[in-house]
Structures are given as structure tokens and as C-alpha cells.
Amino acid sequence: MIGVNRLISNSELQNLDLIDLLSERHSLVRKISEKAWNNQSEIYISNSEWYIMARIYKKQPSISYVTKNVEISRQAIHKFIKNLSDKGLVEVKNVENNKKEKCIRLTALGEECYEKNGALKAQLEEKIAEKIGAEQVHILKDLLKLDWDI
């Protein structure tokens, strides 16, 4: 499928529970998405870096806010932010009236990369819709957006 080997065969998928099915599909689409970006860009961006970029897109959160709202260790987040900064994708600044706190925002290059990647993900979504049907994709998205109260 789309140039990346499946992580698990379709016959093996039949025996998985919901949690493992979600995990397998998530891993597959993330791998495809990462490969699509890295095939067309000279700037390598890992899935964890995309995850952080998604949390700060069009915002200027504090780094402590990011560490509390991203499911990655605090130490790893600081490493990823440094990597993103070194690539020119984010800018870290002091928070006004607070000497300890720093905020983070995407640079113009970071926003451009994020938006280009959004277009690549939209293409992947279209390919999935071609395989399973646009209505099925719509239903799946609606189900995933519901409050599962868990």
C-alpha cells in the first residue's frame, strides 16, 4: 500500500482487538505519512517532531504547556524542540514578565512545512477513501471524534 510495507498482514488483522487494530493502523499511516514527507523534502522531521508542531501550530504555548499536553517525556520534548529549532522550524522565546518560562512558536518555515505536510496527509486520506469509500472515512472520523467517556 502506497510504497510502505504493511506492518502486519490483512489476515493477521482479522484476529486483533480494537486497541491493537487502532495501533496497527496508526503505525501504518504514520509510517506512510513520514515517508511521503521525507521523499519530497530535504528537512527530515520525525513523527514526534510533527506531533509537537501540531500542538503549537498557530499558537505560542509555553514549553511547560507542551510538556503537559504531549504524550512524550519532558526530556525528549526538550530534545525535539532543540532539533526543531536547529532546523529553523521553531523559535523559542522568553515569556514576558516571567524569567523562568519560555514559549515556542513555529517559524515561517515551520508553518510552511506543517501546511505542506497537511496537504500530503490529505492526499493519503483520499487514497484511503478510494479504497474503503469516502462515507466510511467520514464515519470513522466521526467515531474517533466522539467522547468515549474513558
Side-chain angles (χ1 to χ4, degrees):
M1 174 184 213
I2 314 169
V4 174
N5 293 333
R6 283 191 172 88
L7 301 176
I8 188 169
S9 72
N10 276 336
S11 62
E12 291 173 297
L13 286 174
Q14 305 309 311
N15 299 318
L16 297 180
D17 59 32
L18 174 65
I19 306 309
D20 291 337
L21 280 169
L22 287 170
S23 179
E24 288 295 330
R25 291 302 189 186
H26 176 257
S27 294
L28 178 64
V29 296
R30 279 284 166 209
K31 187 181 271 190
I32 292 167
S33 179
E34 184 177 10
K35 184 176 182 182
W37 171 262
N38 291 323
N39 283 345
Q40 63 93 47
S41 176
E42 292 181 16
I43 302 172
Y44 172 80
I45 303 174
S46 72
N47 280 321
S48 296
E49 290 168 333
W50 284 121
Y51 186 43
I52 292 168
M53 290 173 71
R55 293 294 183 268
I56 65 175
Y57 180 68
K58 298 287 186 193
K59 299 178 196 140
Q60 285 192 25
S62 66
I63 291 179
S64 63
Y65 173 86
V66 174
T67 59
K68 289 175 189 150
N69 291 283
V70 173
E71 298 293 324
I72 303 173
S73 75
R74 189 182 148 290
Q75 207 172 5
I77 288 170
H78 283 277
K79 184 183 103 184
F80 290 130
I81 289 173
K82 179 170 181 355
N83 291 344
L84 289 166
S85 179
D86 290 347
K87 295 173 192 177
L89 300 171
V90 301
E91 181 177 63
V92 178
K93 289 186 169 181
N94 291 326
V95 171
E96 227 177 278
N97 304 320
N98 185 335
K99 292 182 180 175
K100 288 175 65 177
E101 194 68 65
K102 296 198 180 295
C103 67
I104 181 172
R105 71 173 190 84
L106 293 178
T107 62
L109 175 62
E111 285 200 8
E112 181 184 334
C113 289
Y114 186 80
E115 290 164 2
K116 283 182 181 176
N117 190 53
L120 291 172
K121 291 192 303 184
Q123 289 174 0
L124 176 56
E125 186 175 318
E126 285 177 29
K127 288 181 181 181
I128 292 168
E130 288 171 12
K131 282 287 191 192
I132 70 171
E135 182 60 25
Q136 299 290 50
V137 169
H138 182 74
I139 291 168
L140 178 59
K141 287 170 69 174
D142 285 347
L143 289 171
L144 293 172
K145 290 176 191 175
L146 290 174
D147 179 359
W148 293 4
D149 197 28
I150 54 177

